[in-house]
Amino acid sequence: MTQRPFIAASNHLQEIKRLVTLLSGVRTNILITGEIGTGKSFIAKQISPQAVIADGANLPELLTILNTFNEVIIENFDAITNYDQITLEGRRLIAITTRPIRSAIVDRFFGMTIELLPLRDHPEDILPLSELFLQELQESYGITASLPLSHMKLDISQNAHSLRQSIAKELLLSTLTHDEIETLLERFIATHAKGEADYDRFLALFDRAMIRAMYRLHRSQLSMAAHMGINRNTLRKKIKELGIYLEDSHD
């Protein structure tokens, strides 16, 4: 499997990349912290590609691995139930955590801590990372369709994890045919029908999707109404009734 390139457009990740290069040749124990999806496992493997991965939530297995291998990456280090059972004795340890660790534990085991910031704090990396994910997903799914990534609202609530998922969804949606969309709508309605005012509820769902899509294309209520084949006052009434907010709409 081809190793993923190290995306580092921001100053933050450029500094992390320099640290990785430095620490690859230094035998010190490292704690890597950060929110979910910030790339902790990726950085750990960059520092120590040959290390064996263990899960801190499974203490018996972790102890076996520590007694067998010289270089170990411990995921979920914060989930360890008894740190007193962890003995290193010359082994190299790289640990990963999303939650704070007591300072006494950090001082006991680690010579360095690396904190990975969430994507919202270094947005320069979102687009190049999105382009990498898109390329990977295109190859994985065998899809040649592209996406206007720079104009899309992508989900970074869980950093790279949610970013990749949102791109995968958009890529798959871009390949759907009319028949496939109709089938999806049929299944959605069958699953969510409540038997009370279903017709009005699902028509409102369609109207909201139509209005937002036309706004994305035309950015003007006058142009939207013309392309939808309805009166502009009727369009305005629908927008108000459905509680839709359109940013920077030009009339």
Side-chain angles (χ1 to χ4, degrees), residues 102-147:
R102 298 197 312 273
S103 58
I105 298 297
V106 175
D107 293 342
R108 174 180 169 185
F109 287 106
F110 304 104
M112 172 171 284
T113 298
I114 297 175
E115 180 184 5
L116 295 177
L117 299 178
L119 274 173
R120 63 181 175 272
D121 290 344
H122 51 106
E124 309 97 303
D125 294 301
I126 295 174
L127 182 57
L129 192 57
S130 299
E131 291 170 342
L132 173 64
F133 288 157
L134 177 59
Q135 181 182 353
E136 291 177 348
L137 290 163
Q138 287 170 328
E139 294 173 356
S140 177
Y141 294 144
I143 297 175
T144 57
S146 187
L147 294 174

Side-chain angles (χ1 to χ4, degrees), residues 13-243:
L13 287 189
Q14 287 173 12
E15 179 59 29
I16 296 295
K17 191 173 184 178
R18 285 191 288 269
L19 266 177
V20 166
T21 301
L22 174 66
L23 294 173
S24 295
V26 178
R27 195 173 181 84
T28 187
N29 297 330
I30 303 163
L31 177 65
I32 304 175
T33 69
E35 294 180 6
I36 184 172
T38 48
K40 299 182 294 297
S41 295
F42 174 78
I43 296 301
K45 291 297 289 185
Q46 289 282 315
I47 295 172
S48 184
Q50 306 305 318
V52 176
I53 298 176
D55 187 353
N58 188 338
L59 186 56
E61 181 180 84
L62 170 59
L63 295 175
T64 298
I65 290 174
L66 285 172
N67 289 329
T68 307
F69 299 95
N70 291 326
E71 292 195 30
V72 178
I73 294 172
I74 302 180
E75 297 180 337
N76 302 312
F77 186 78
D78 54 283
I80 294 175
T81 55
N82 188 346
Y83 290 100
D84 290 335
Q85 293 189 44
I86 307 298
T87 55
L88 299 180
E89 298 178 357
R91 289 173 177 79
R92 189 188 195 192
L93 173 66
I94 300 176
I96 297 168
T97 180
T98 58
R99 294 187 295 183
I101 302 293
R102 298 197 312 273
S103 58
I105 298 297
V106 175
D107 293 342
R108 174 180 169 185
F109 287 106
F110 304 104
M112 172 171 284
T113 298
I114 297 175
E115 180 184 5
L116 295 177
L117 299 178
L119 274 173
R120 63 181 175 272
D121 290 344
H122 51 106
E124 309 97 303
D125 294 301
I126 295 174
L127 182 57
L129 192 57
S130 299
E131 291 170 342
L132 173 64
F133 288 157
L134 177 59
Q135 181 182 353
E136 291 177 348
L137 290 163
Q138 287 170 328
E139 294 173 356
S140 177
Y141 294 144
I143 297 175
T144 57
S146 187
L147 294 174
L149 294 172
S150 60
H151 296 91
M152 291 172 59
K153 187 175 182 179
L154 297 167
D155 181 7
I156 60 167
S157 60
Q158 291 189 311
N159 301 295
H161 288 183
S162 56
L163 178 62
R164 194 178 195 280
Q165 290 173 358
S166 65
I167 293 171
K169 290 176 184 177
E170 292 287 347
L171 184 61
L172 291 174
L173 285 172
S174 72
T175 68
L176 293 178
T177 65
H178 284 195
D179 288 343
E180 289 170 333
I181 292 173
E182 187 172 335
T183 299
L184 286 174
L185 283 172
E186 179 183 338
R187 291 179 180 176
F188 179 85
I189 292 170
T191 301
H192 294 85
K194 299 178 179 178
E196 298 179 2
D198 283 336
Y199 185 75
D200 289 339
R201 285 195 307 109
F202 290 120
L203 278 184
L205 177 68
F206 175 82
D207 283 344
R208 279 193 291 269
M210 169 66 79
I211 289 171
R212 288 184 177 125
M214 297 304 287
Y215 172 69
R216 181 184 297 182
L217 291 171
H218 304 293
R219 310 297 289 186
S220 159
Q221 291 185 25
L222 180 62
S223 180
M224 288 165 63
H227 283 84
M228 293 169 71
I230 62 176
N231 181 277
R232 183 166 58 160
N233 289 332
T234 301
L235 173 62
R236 284 178 170 171
K237 183 180 178 182
K238 279 186 173 290
I239 291 172
K240 184 176 181 180
E241 288 175 348
L242 295 169

